[in-house]
Amino acid sequence: MREDVENLDITDVTANWVNAAVLQHQIDERIKALADLSHTPLFFGRVDYLHAPGADKAEGAEGERFYIGRRHVHDAEGDPMVIDWRAPVSQPFYRASKKDPMDVGLRRRFGYTSGDLTAYEDEHLSDPSEAAATSKLLQQEIERPRVGPMRDIVATIQPEQDEIVRAGLAGSVCVQGGPGTGKTAVGLHRVAYLLYAHRERLARTGTLVIGPNKSFLHYIEQVLPALGELEVKQATVDDLVAHVEVRGTDDATAAVVKGDARMAEVLRRAVRSHVTLPTEGVVVVRGSRRWRVPAYELETIVGELLDRDIRYGAAREALPQRIAHAVLVQMERSGEAPDDRVQDAVARNTAVKAAVKAIWPPVDPAKLVLRLLTDADFLAVHADGILDEDEQKEILWSKPVRSVKSAKWSPADAVLIDEATDLVQRTHSLGHVVLDEAQDLSPMQYRAVGRRCTTGSATVLGDLAQGTTPWATRSWDEALAHLGKGEAVIEELTAGFRVPTDVIAYASRLLPHIAPGLTPVASVRENPGFFEVRPTTADEQVVDACEELLRNEGSVGLIAADARIPALTEALAAAGLTYLGPGEETTAQTRLTLVPASLAKGLEYDYVVLDEPQAVVDGEPDERTGLRRLYVALTRAVSGLTVTHAAPLPQQLA
């Protein structure tokens, strides 16, 4: 298929060089999408229908056989050999069961080792004499060692996951899922499915995956290309609101106030305060005639624009046209017959432009936010009844700032500027946005993401128990309201495919303290996993634990409190043990990654050494946030976990 595209000759099929360049770009993208992936089979399953799909079953129509794979594959004549996993005819491969066979006589799973077919396994779903059984191939694929970046799960999608993946484009979905339930994979595969089912629409409107940090995005970046989807953009929330250079930080209290949804109303008031009701009329001179729009009529026009509550910039653009229209009405009454060109000319008249500048002056969002954060009186006027005095003092800068460029903006400040920017000019909306690790966002950050999908839909992924910011999400209903997707369906994934039973059971001891009422994850892995709590007296013993785990197949992550990273770096160097940073791809030579606890979220390793749990807790502003950070760190292991500690363990783990 790829060679067919490579051999296309477009010499005589394009009208000009522009068309040729566009067509060549499309061909190049198609060649990229058809790239071979080493050790990745073209198909992983087979479905034998009792009757041909869509045929009248009463007529005894013969069944059909379909091979299911990551991509559609056809032969030299164009006949399909492998059906895309996203096609409707593939759905029973994921959802059919003994209770509901969905007209499937046989489901076959194929097992591969390094791309070579090594096994297959059959289920006769419509045969009442065959008992339902757990698929060993499925279990082996789930428990396969993790080396390198995150991979697709098209061969192991479970029925409850498939239901979310294939949910329609029109509705938004929120997925609450504990560690290892596959929520990130579900979100990415949902994007791939939507691009398959609504390709033309999403090609026009665009799709975006939002992750918590660059390390996480690097970890997941190969999943969609492996499924042939190359056009999905990836970004962090900080990337979305990068109107200014961020060089500063806020303390937790100030960040919480700045991230509060009430700040949106403070900003709205501040923006609208620039509008000044006119006290004088406007006189427009055209030739020998003078046309006057009195102050009371201007006031009516301004009042109507304010009542419409449209964007500040859009109203400012509409104001000269509204004034010009008032002049044209007078012209028509005097017997003239002006047209649109006359109205445009009046709107550009010097007197009209001067009036618009005085009544509705331009607003620079960054300068506006700067004034709010440095001018106590200006903030007090617009925060009156919204923020109390203590909250206002928390967000005011102690030192004056000369300009927008010299200001040391914090991440929370950048979000405020994004809100102000949207109040002035509408933010472009995409067709679909996937928001991962959403539990860590502030209300104002939710609003920033929501602006990117006002006319589209969203897939929100997260775990309330893993919220590790002082402003972490308390409930999904509240978060979805800030996002502007209050109608979204909330789904919960509770089956754990990644974290071993013993490890998730140990980590779940923290749940009553960090997320009361949340359903603990139930591991479906047959392998209970390796788990050990090991007292230590020196950093060399932590390195020893890493070396022991490296004797196994797969990746090893050494996770520690951020403050412990320098000491562990020295210990690893002294032992001659090479390691990677978070998000870097493991190799056969280097399988150890040193991970600060603050960057562990979303990552996974076959084996994990967790250093000093109490230090992880102490590294956060409060105990609850610290315990949540510890919960994240404890649940990064796929096959085994060693907890090393010189200090006593947190009492919540007792």
Side-chain angles (χ1 to χ4, degrees), residues 192-241:
Y193 170 77
L194 292 175
L195 285 167
Y196 175 88
H198 308 277
R199 189 166 301 281
E200 288 188 11
R201 178 176 171 183
L202 289 177
R204 292 194 307 270
T205 56
T207 50
L208 174 68
V209 174
I210 302 173
N213 52 55
K214 296 292 186 185
S215 297
F216 178 83
L217 292 178
H218 182 68
Y219 177 63
I220 68 170
E221 66 184 358
Q222 296 302 319
V223 175
L224 290 169
L227 301 174
E229 302 300 345
L230 306 173
E231 300 300 319
V232 180
K233 292 182 173 58
Q234 297 183 353
T236 64
V237 174
D238 290 343
D239 293 333
L240 298 183
V241 300

Tab-separated table of all heavy atoms in Angstrom, residues 192-241:
chain	number	residue	atom	x	y	z
A	192	ALA	N	-8.514	8.754	18.311
A	192	ALA	CA	-8.296	7.990	17.081
A	192	ALA	C	-9.627	7.536	16.489
A	192	ALA	O	-9.829	7.591	15.265
A	192	ALA	CB	-7.403	6.787	17.371
A	193	TYR	N	-10.549	7.100	17.345
A	193	TYR	CA	-11.863	6.659	16.854
A	193	TYR	C	-12.643	7.827	16.247
A	193	TYR	O	-13.243	7.699	15.168
A	193	TYR	CB	-12.674	6.024	17.989
A	193	TYR	CG	-14.106	5.772	17.585
A	193	TYR	CD1	-14.433	4.691	16.769
A	193	TYR	CD2	-15.133	6.641	17.974
A	193	TYR	CE1	-15.744	4.473	16.359
A	193	TYR	CE2	-16.435	6.430	17.569
A	193	TYR	CZ	-16.741	5.349	16.761
A	193	TYR	OH	-18.029	5.147	16.345
A	194	LEU	N	-12.642	8.974	16.938
A	194	LEU	CA	-13.395	10.130	16.432
A	194	LEU	C	-12.834	10.613	15.102
A	194	LEU	O	-13.588	11.033	14.213
A	194	LEU	CB	-13.382	11.262	17.466
A	194	LEU	CG	-14.154	10.996	18.760
A	194	LEU	CD1	-13.958	12.145	19.746
A	194	LEU	CD2	-15.641	10.793	18.477
A	195	LEU	N	-11.514	10.562	14.948
A	195	LEU	CA	-10.907	10.953	13.671
A	195	LEU	C	-11.297	9.985	12.562
A	195	LEU	O	-11.411	10.371	11.394
A	195	LEU	CB	-9.383	11.006	13.810
A	195	LEU	CG	-8.844	12.220	14.571
A	195	LEU	CD1	-7.387	12.009	14.933
A	195	LEU	CD2	-9.014	13.478	13.749
A	196	TYR	N	-11.514	8.734	12.901
A	196	TYR	CA	-11.958	7.734	11.926
A	196	TYR	C	-13.423	7.971	11.548
A	196	TYR	O	-13.779	7.949	10.372
A	196	TYR	CB	-11.785	6.338	12.530
A	196	TYR	CG	-12.321	5.207	11.675
A	196	TYR	CD1	-11.520	4.603	10.703
A	196	TYR	CD2	-13.620	4.731	11.854
A	196	TYR	CE1	-12.006	3.561	9.930
A	196	TYR	CE2	-14.115	3.694	11.081
A	196	TYR	CZ	-13.308	3.111	10.119
A	196	TYR	OH	-13.800	2.084	9.344
A	197	ALA	N	-14.251	8.226	12.557
A	197	ALA	CA	-15.692	8.343	12.316
A	197	ALA	C	-16.110	9.726	11.809
A	197	ALA	O	-17.143	9.857	11.146
A	197	ALA	CB	-16.450	8.011	13.611
A	198	HIS	N	-15.324	10.764	12.118
A	198	HIS	CA	-15.699	12.148	11.744
A	198	HIS	C	-14.486	12.871	11.160
A	198	HIS	O	-14.192	14.005	11.530
A	198	HIS	CB	-16.223	12.907	12.972
A	198	HIS	CG	-17.310	12.201	13.713
A	198	HIS	ND1	-18.630	12.251	13.344
A	198	HIS	CD2	-17.259	11.403	14.822
A	198	HIS	CE1	-19.360	11.522	14.183
A	198	HIS	NE2	-18.558	11.003	15.082
A	199	ARG	N	-13.794	12.223	10.231
A	199	ARG	CA	-12.503	12.742	9.760
A	199	ARG	C	-12.629	14.115	9.105
A	199	ARG	O	-11.848	15.025	9.392
A	199	ARG	CB	-11.852	11.751	8.788
A	199	ARG	CG	-10.411	12.148	8.453
A	199	ARG	CD	-9.663	11.014	7.790
A	199	ARG	NE	-9.593	9.829	8.607
A	199	ARG	CZ	-8.751	9.660	9.610
A	199	ARG	NH1	-7.913	10.634	9.936
A	199	ARG	NH2	-8.733	8.540	10.293
A	200	GLU	N	-13.586	14.296	8.219
A	200	GLU	CA	-13.695	15.569	7.498
A	200	GLU	C	-13.993	16.719	8.451
A	200	GLU	O	-13.400	17.795	8.359
A	200	GLU	CB	-14.777	15.479	6.417
A	200	GLU	CG	-14.371	14.617	5.226
A	200	GLU	CD	-15.379	14.716	4.101
A	200	GLU	OE1	-16.274	15.592	4.156
A	200	GLU	OE2	-15.279	13.917	3.149
A	201	ARG	N	-14.918	16.489	9.380
A	201	ARG	CA	-15.290	17.556	10.321
A	201	ARG	C	-14.107	17.936	11.213
A	201	ARG	O	-13.806	19.122	11.391
A	201	ARG	CB	-16.474	17.112	11.162
A	201	ARG	CG	-16.908	18.144	12.197
A	201	ARG	CD	-18.144	17.687	12.923
A	201	ARG	NE	-18.439	18.548	14.051
A	201	ARG	CZ	-19.440	18.339	14.907
A	201	ARG	NH1	-20.246	17.306	14.733
A	201	ARG	NH2	-19.641	19.156	15.920
A	202	LEU	N	-13.424	16.934	11.772
A	202	LEU	CA	-12.312	17.224	12.674
A	202	LEU	C	-11.084	17.726	11.921
A	202	LEU	O	-10.243	18.412	12.503
A	202	LEU	CB	-11.971	15.988	13.503
A	202	LEU	CG	-13.011	15.625	14.569
A	202	LEU	CD1	-12.634	14.337	15.293
A	202	LEU	CD2	-13.199	16.751	15.570
A	203	ALA	N	-10.977	17.407	10.628
A	203	ALA	CA	-9.886	17.968	9.828
A	203	ALA	C	-10.046	19.481	9.712
A	203	ALA	O	-9.064	20.219	9.657
A	203	ALA	CB	-9.870	17.326	8.444
A	204	ARG	N	-11.304	19.936	9.696
A	204	ARG	CA	-11.574	21.383	9.610
A	204	ARG	C	-11.404	22.061	10.956
A	204	ARG	O	-10.846	23.159	11.043
A	204	ARG	CB	-13.006	21.630	9.105
A	204	ARG	CG	-13.255	21.242	7.671
A	204	ARG	CD	-14.576	21.829	7.179
A	204	ARG	NE	-15.692	21.500	8.049
A	204	ARG	CZ	-16.454	20.409	7.916
A	204	ARG	NH1	-16.192	19.551	6.943
A	204	ARG	NH2	-17.451	20.180	8.743
A	205	THR	N	-11.885	21.417	12.021
A	205	THR	CA	-11.953	22.086	13.328
A	205	THR	C	-10.760	21.792	14.228
A	205	THR	O	-10.454	22.579	15.123
A	205	THR	CB	-13.241	21.681	14.066
A	205	THR	OG1	-13.289	20.244	14.178
A	205	THR	CG2	-14.476	22.147	13.296
A	206	GLY	N	-10.081	20.666	14.008
A	206	GLY	CA	-8.877	20.368	14.769
A	206	GLY	C	-9.121	19.604	16.061
A	206	GLY	O	-10.213	19.660	16.641
A	207	THR	N	-8.092	18.893	16.502
A	207	THR	CA	-8.140	18.139	17.757
A	207	THR	C	-6.884	18.451	18.559
A	207	THR	O	-5.845	18.786	18.009
A	207	THR	CB	-8.215	16.621	17.504
A	207	THR	OG1	-7.185	16.246	16.579
A	207	THR	CG2	-9.563	16.217	16.942
A	208	LEU	N	-6.992	18.309	19.875
A	208	LEU	CA	-5.892	18.662	20.762
A	208	LEU	C	-5.881	17.744	21.976
A	208	LEU	O	-6.929	17.478	22.567
A	208	LEU	CB	-6.043	20.122	21.222
A	208	LEU	CG	-5.050	20.635	22.275
A	208	LEU	CD1	-3.638	20.715	21.685
A	208	LEU	CD2	-5.482	22.008	22.780
A	209	VAL	N	-4.694	17.253	22.338
A	209	VAL	CA	-4.510	16.480	23.568
A	209	VAL	C	-3.716	17.353	24.539
A	209	VAL	O	-2.628	17.838	24.208
A	209	VAL	CB	-3.750	15.166	23.297
A	209	VAL	CG1	-3.436	14.450	24.613
A	209	VAL	CG2	-4.566	14.260	22.383
A	210	ILE	N	-4.260	17.548	25.739
A	210	ILE	CA	-3.622	18.388	26.755
A	210	ILE	C	-3.146	17.496	27.895
A	210	ILE	O	-3.932	16.756	28.490
A	210	ILE	CB	-4.599	19.453	27.287
A	210	ILE	CG1	-5.106	20.328	26.139
A	210	ILE	CG2	-3.927	20.316	28.353
A	210	ILE	CD1	-6.200	21.300	26.552
A	211	GLY	N	-1.836	17.575	28.187
A	211	GLY	CA	-1.259	16.786	29.274
A	211	GLY	C	-0.690	17.676	30.353
A	211	GLY	O	-0.588	18.896	30.186
A	212	PRO	N	-0.266	17.090	31.484
A	212	PRO	CA	0.178	17.898	32.625
A	212	PRO	C	1.562	18.512	32.467
A	212	PRO	O	1.850	19.549	33.060
A	212	PRO	CB	0.157	16.896	33.783
A	212	PRO	CG	0.355	15.563	33.133
A	212	PRO	CD	-0.329	15.656	31.804
A	213	ASN	N	2.442	17.872	31.670
A	213	ASN	CA	3.801	18.401	31.504
A	213	ASN	C	4.424	17.808	30.253
A	213	ASN	O	3.875	16.902	29.625
A	213	ASN	CB	4.664	18.106	32.744
A	213	ASN	CG	4.622	16.635	33.129
A	213	ASN	OD1	4.913	15.755	32.321
A	213	ASN	ND2	4.237	16.360	34.373
A	214	LYS	N	5.604	18.324	29.880
A	214	LYS	CA	6.282	17.885	28.659
A	214	LYS	C	6.710	16.420	28.750
A	214	LYS	O	6.679	15.690	27.751
A	214	LYS	CB	7.516	18.758	28.399
A	214	LYS	CG	7.208	20.225	28.121
A	214	LYS	CD	6.500	20.416	26.799
A	214	LYS	CE	6.336	21.900	26.481
A	214	LYS	NZ	5.538	22.110	25.251
A	215	SER	N	7.129	15.980	29.941
A	215	SER	CA	7.554	14.588	30.106
A	215	SER	C	6.410	13.635	29.777
A	215	SER	O	6.592	12.628	29.080
A	215	SER	CB	8.037	14.344	31.541
A	215	SER	OG	9.169	15.127	31.835
A	216	PHE	N	5.233	13.969	30.251
A	216	PHE	CA	4.052	13.137	30.003
A	216	PHE	C	3.723	13.117	28.514
A	216	PHE	O	3.441	12.056	27.941
A	216	PHE	CB	2.867	13.677	30.815
A	216	PHE	CG	1.587	12.916	30.603
A	216	PHE	CD1	1.345	11.746	31.297
A	216	PHE	CD2	0.635	13.366	29.712
A	216	PHE	CE1	0.171	11.037	31.104
A	216	PHE	CE2	-0.545	12.673	29.506
A	216	PHE	CZ	-0.771	11.499	30.211
A	217	LEU	N	3.763	14.286	27.871
A	217	LEU	CA	3.442	14.349	26.443
A	217	LEU	C	4.452	13.550	25.625
A	217	LEU	O	4.089	12.897	24.641
A	217	LEU	CB	3.410	15.806	25.974
A	217	LEU	CG	2.257	16.663	26.527
A	217	LEU	CD1	2.377	18.096	26.021
A	217	LEU	CD2	0.898	16.082	26.138
A	218	HIS	N	5.718	13.600	26.038
A	218	HIS	CA	6.739	12.825	25.337
A	218	HIS	C	6.469	11.329	25.503
A	218	HIS	O	6.678	10.538	24.570
A	218	HIS	CB	8.129	13.177	25.875
A	218	HIS	CG	9.246	12.463	25.180
A	218	HIS	ND1	9.580	12.711	23.869
A	218	HIS	CD2	10.094	11.484	25.598
A	218	HIS	CE1	10.587	11.922	23.516
A	218	HIS	NE2	10.919	11.171	24.548
A	219	TYR	N	5.975	10.946	26.671
A	219	TYR	CA	5.699	9.541	26.965
A	219	TYR	C	4.567	8.990	26.093
A	219	TYR	O	4.595	7.840	25.660
A	219	TYR	CB	5.362	9.419	28.453
A	219	TYR	CG	4.977	8.031	28.906
A	219	TYR	CD1	5.875	6.976	28.823
A	219	TYR	CD2	3.710	7.777	29.422
A	219	TYR	CE1	5.525	5.701	29.238
A	219	TYR	CE2	3.359	6.511	29.841
A	219	TYR	CZ	4.261	5.478	29.750
A	219	TYR	OH	3.917	4.219	30.149
A	220	ILE	N	3.557	9.819	25.787
A	220	ILE	CA	2.382	9.335	25.051
A	220	ILE	C	2.425	9.663	23.561
A	220	ILE	O	1.536	9.253	22.811
A	220	ILE	CB	1.081	9.928	25.642
A	220	ILE	CG1	1.006	11.445	25.395
A	220	ILE	CG2	0.946	9.599	27.118
A	220	ILE	CD1	-0.350	12.056	25.730
A	221	GLU	N	3.472	10.376	23.108
A	221	GLU	CA	3.425	10.958	21.767
A	221	GLU	C	3.407	9.937	20.631
A	221	GLU	O	3.048	10.268	19.502
A	221	GLU	CB	4.596	11.924	21.573
A	221	GLU	CG	5.962	11.254	21.570
A	221	GLU	CD	7.102	12.258	21.466
A	221	GLU	OE1	6.806	13.470	21.365
A	221	GLU	OE2	8.272	11.842	21.502
A	222	GLN	N	3.804	8.682	20.895
A	222	GLN	CA	3.853	7.677	19.828
A	222	GLN	C	2.549	6.904	19.662
A	222	GLN	O	2.405	6.157	18.692
A	222	GLN	CB	4.992	6.685	20.108
A	222	GLN	CG	6.375	7.317	20.087
A	222	GLN	CD	6.685	7.996	18.767
A	222	GLN	OE1	6.360	7.485	17.696
A	222	GLN	NE2	7.283	9.177	18.836
A	223	VAL	N	1.595	7.051	20.587
A	223	VAL	CA	0.384	6.234	20.537
A	223	VAL	C	-0.442	6.529	19.288
A	223	VAL	O	-0.793	5.621	18.520
A	223	VAL	CB	-0.474	6.439	21.809
A	223	VAL	CG1	-1.790	5.673	21.687
A	223	VAL	CG2	0.292	5.976	23.042
A	224	LEU	N	-0.768	7.779	19.038
A	224	LEU	CA	-1.612	8.121	17.894
A	224	LEU	C	-0.909	7.896	16.551
A	224	LEU	O	-1.534	7.359	15.634
A	224	LEU	CB	-2.124	9.559	18.035
A	224	LEU	CG	-3.155	9.736	19.157
A	224	LEU	CD1	-3.422	11.206	19.426
A	224	LEU	CD2	-4.458	9.022	18.816
A	225	PRO	N	0.376	8.281	16.385
A	225	PRO	CA	1.043	7.952	15.125
A	225	PRO	C	1.057	6.451	14.832
A	225	PRO	O	0.985	6.040	13.674
A	225	PRO	CB	2.459	8.499	15.331
A	225	PRO	CG	2.287	9.636	16.273
A	225	PRO	CD	1.211	9.182	17.217
A	226	ALA	N	1.153	5.624	15.881
A	226	ALA	CA	1.130	4.172	15.676
A	226	ALA	C	-0.204	3.710	15.117
A	226	ALA	O	-0.293	2.651	14.477
A	226	ALA	CB	1.418	3.449	16.998
A	227	LEU	N	-1.237	4.490	15.333
A	227	LEU	CA	-2.570	4.181	14.806
A	227	LEU	C	-2.837	4.934	13.506
A	227	LEU	O	-3.965	4.937	13.013
A	227	LEU	CB	-3.637	4.534	15.852
A	227	LEU	CG	-3.513	3.798	17.194
A	227	LEU	CD1	-4.529	4.325	18.190
A	227	LEU	CD2	-3.691	2.303	17.001
A	228	GLY	N	-1.802	5.580	12.959
A	228	GLY	CA	-1.943	6.274	11.682
A	228	GLY	C	-2.468	7.682	11.777
A	228	GLY	O	-2.781	8.302	10.765
A	229	GLU	N	-2.581	8.234	13.005
A	229	GLU	CA	-3.109	9.588	13.184
A	229	GLU	C	-1.960	10.541	13.480
A	229	GLU	O	-1.362	10.492	14.549
A	229	GLU	CB	-4.153	9.609	14.315
A	229	GLU	CG	-5.331	8.671	14.097
A	229	GLU	CD	-6.120	8.970	12.836
A	229	GLU	OE1	-5.943	10.075	12.264
A	229	GLU	OE2	-6.905	8.114	12.398
A	230	LEU	N	-1.658	11.420	12.508
A	230	LEU	CA	-0.484	12.289	12.624
A	230	LEU	C	-0.824	13.744	12.895
A	230	LEU	O	0.063	14.548	13.162
A	230	LEU	CB	0.334	12.215	11.321
A	230	LEU	CG	0.742	10.816	10.850
A	230	LEU	CD1	1.397	10.907	9.480
A	230	LEU	CD2	1.666	10.152	11.846
A	231	GLU	N	-2.116	14.100	12.800
A	231	GLU	CA	-2.495	15.516	12.823
A	231	GLU	C	-2.922	16.041	14.189
A	231	GLU	O	-3.276	17.204	14.317
A	231	GLU	CB	-3.639	15.759	11.815
A	231	GLU	CG	-3.270	15.422	10.378
A	231	GLU	CD	-2.092	16.240	9.870
A	231	GLU	OE1	-2.035	17.444	10.177
A	231	GLU	OE2	-1.226	15.672	9.186
A	232	VAL	N	-2.945	15.184	15.208
A	232	VAL	CA	-3.417	15.614	16.524
A	232	VAL	C	-2.314	16.392	17.235
A	232	VAL	O	-1.193	15.905	17.408
A	232	VAL	CB	-3.841	14.403	17.383
A	232	VAL	CG1	-4.336	14.869	18.746
A	232	VAL	CG2	-4.933	13.613	16.669
A	233	LYS	N	-2.638	17.599	17.653
A	233	LYS	CA	-1.657	18.429	18.355
A	233	LYS	C	-1.647	18.075	19.840
A	233	LYS	O	-2.656	17.634	20.393
A	233	LYS	CB	-1.974	19.914	18.164
A	233	LYS	CG	-1.763	20.397	16.727
A	233	LYS	CD	-2.042	21.878	16.616
A	233	LYS	CE	-1.661	22.408	15.233
A	233	LYS	NZ	-2.366	21.736	14.140
A	234	GLN	N	-0.498	18.276	20.495
A	234	GLN	CA	-0.361	18.013	21.920
A	234	GLN	C	0.216	19.249	22.595
A	234	GLN	O	1.067	19.931	22.033
A	234	GLN	CB	0.559	16.810	22.165
A	234	GLN	CG	0.017	15.506	21.590
A	234	GLN	CD	0.906	14.317	21.911
A	234	GLN	OE1	1.992	14.472	22.451
A	234	GLN	NE2	0.444	13.127	21.589
A	235	ALA	N	-0.271	19.548	23.791
A	235	ALA	CA	0.189	20.739	24.505
A	235	ALA	C	-0.105	20.589	25.984
A	235	ALA	O	-0.890	19.728	26.404
A	235	ALA	CB	-0.504	21.994	23.959
A	236	THR	N	0.538	21.447	26.794
A	236	THR	CA	0.175	21.581	28.205
A	236	THR	C	-0.718	22.808	28.346
A	236	THR	O	-0.820	23.627	27.419
A	236	THR	CB	1.433	21.767	29.078
A	236	THR	OG1	2.062	23.010	28.711
A	236	THR	CG2	2.424	20.626	28.870
A	237	VAL	N	-1.357	22.968	29.494
A	237	VAL	CA	-2.171	24.170	29.728
A	237	VAL	C	-1.288	25.410	29.661
A	237	VAL	O	-1.699	26.450	29.123
A	237	VAL	CB	-2.887	24.083	31.096
A	237	VAL	CG1	-3.614	25.390	31.399
A	237	VAL	CG2	-3.892	22.932	31.100
A	238	ASP	N	-0.060	25.313	30.174
A	238	ASP	CA	0.859	26.458	30.117
A	238	ASP	C	1.138	26.869	28.669
A	238	ASP	O	1.290	28.057	28.370
A	238	ASP	CB	2.172	26.128	30.832
A	238	ASP	CG	1.996	26.017	32.343
A	238	ASP	OD1	0.965	26.499	32.850
A	238	ASP	OD2	2.877	25.443	33.009
A	239	ASP	N	1.216	25.885	27.768
A	239	ASP	CA	1.418	26.202	26.350
A	239	ASP	C	0.240	26.999	25.794
A	239	ASP	O	0.418	27.923	24.996
A	239	ASP	CB	1.574	24.919	25.522
A	239	ASP	CG	2.844	24.155	25.847
A	239	ASP	OD1	3.822	24.790	26.290
A	239	ASP	OD2	2.849	22.921	25.682
A	240	LEU	N	-0.967	26.644	26.207
A	240	LEU	CA	-2.179	27.294	25.678
A	240	LEU	C	-2.237	28.767	26.063
A	240	LEU	O	-2.748	29.592	25.302
A	240	LEU	CB	-3.436	26.591	26.211
A	240	LEU	CG	-3.644	25.118	25.858
A	240	LEU	CD1	-4.973	24.646	26.425
A	240	LEU	CD2	-3.603	24.899	24.354
A	241	VAL	N	-1.731	29.098	27.248
A	241	VAL	CA	-1.895	30.471	27.770
A	241	VAL	C	-0.577	31.248	27.729
A	241	VAL	O	-0.393	32.198	28.491
A	241	VAL	CB	-2.451	30.439	29.213
A	241	VAL	CG1	-3.807	29.748	29.246
A	241	VAL	CG2	-1.486	29.717	30.169
